[in-house]
Amino acid sequence: MGSSINCIIPKEENYSIEEIKQKLNNVFSRLKLELLHLKKYSDFPENVDESWFLILIQAELNEPEYIMGEGGSFDIFIYKNVVLIGCIERFGSLHFEEKNISEQLIKIMTELSEEFSSSNRLLIGCKGTREMDEVVDLAYYNHADFNQICNKMIELNGVPARTLNDLKEKSWYLK
């Protein structure tokens, strides 16, 4: 699959932009080796860095308030009930062993998830598909929570992959 990666986790607390930036920096600080590996082997090495830019997007007309940010190959969107972590690497990088970056991508996404949620639940999907766009819209416009998003993904895609290797056949994974 040629699209990039989305990871959705439950949002358990409201954080200020400064707190979010600190959490992101904490993860990137711990994972310097993984980031260096991405810089060497990823399709987008020029986008691998450790600095984050965050901004609060104010509510306007029918658009809700949210926080968005970018940090190298990753981005983050903090919605009312979920956190979405994106990566510009191709979705196939999660299961193509010859790419040699799946372990690092999973570790980074998992640690980012753990920094924002104690539930240890995450959904990884193929960004840019109709189904993923639909659940992101649910999170954004309808303030869907993590369980609602999982249920919608099951409705749209069937059962999730049980292992990351199963992503060769499925378009999403649920932990």
Side-chain angles (χ1 to χ4, degrees):
M1 289 187 186
S3 295
S4 54
I5 304 164
N6 269 349
C7 175
I8 300 174
I9 61 171
K11 180 180 167 198
E12 297 170 350
E13 292 184 41
N14 290 320
Y15 299 104
S16 69
I17 286 181
E18 294 77 28
E19 290 171 315
I20 294 166
K21 191 169 192 172
Q22 184 60 52
K23 288 179 164 298
L24 295 167
N25 288 334
N26 289 345
V27 171
F28 273 33
S29 196
R30 286 193 307 266
L31 300 178
K32 287 189 184 298
L33 290 176
E34 286 75 11
L35 291 169
L36 286 172
H37 186 87
L38 285 182
K39 193 166 190 97
K40 183 173 182 179
Y41 295 104
S42 77
D43 290 331
F44 307 97
E46 66 278 359
N47 292 317
V48 179
D49 67 31
E50 300 173 30
S51 59
W52 281 89
F53 167 78
L54 294 163
I55 186 169
L56 171 67
I57 307 296
Q58 297 290 334
E60 188 175 298
L61 300 173
N62 294 335
E63 306 289 320
E65 179 179 280
Y66 67 100
I67 296 172
M68 69 166 288
E70 294 179 354
S73 295
F74 296 89
D75 55 29
I76 189 165
F77 296 85
I78 312 282
Y79 298 130
K80 183 174 182 177
N81 292 311
V82 295
V83 175
L84 185 146
I85 300 161
C87 179
I88 62 173
E89 285 298 327
R90 299 291 180 225
F91 185 75
S93 298
L94 294 171
H95 59 81
F96 291 144
E97 292 177 17
E98 60 273 8
K99 287 281 296 179
N100 193 29
I101 61 173
S102 62
E103 184 179 318
Q104 290 74 23
L105 287 172
I106 292 300
K107 184 164 185 170
I108 292 168
M109 286 188 287
T110 300
E111 291 223 15
L112 285 168
S113 298
E114 290 171 355
E115 191 73 24
F116 287 93
S117 176
S118 61
S119 74
N120 207 22
R121 298 201 62 205
L122 64 99
L123 180 156
I124 297 175
C126 185
K127 183 178 182 177
T129 62
R130 179 188 59 80
E131 296 86 356
M132 184 54 74
D133 290 347
E134 193 169 326
V135 297
V136 170
D137 283 350
L138 277 175
Y140 177 68
Y141 291 108
N142 300 94
H143 309 296
D145 64 23
F146 187 77
N147 289 331
Q148 291 169 316
I149 287 171
C150 292
N151 290 337
K152 188 65 171 179
M153 284 295 282
I154 291 169
E155 176 187 321
L156 296 171
N157 294 308
V159 295
R162 298 289 181 217
T163 68
L164 293 171
N165 194 42
D166 293 341
L167 287 174
K168 293 175 186 172
E169 307 295 325
K170 304 261 185 185
S171 64
W172 74 297
Y173 168 83
L174 181 63
K175 177 181 173 186

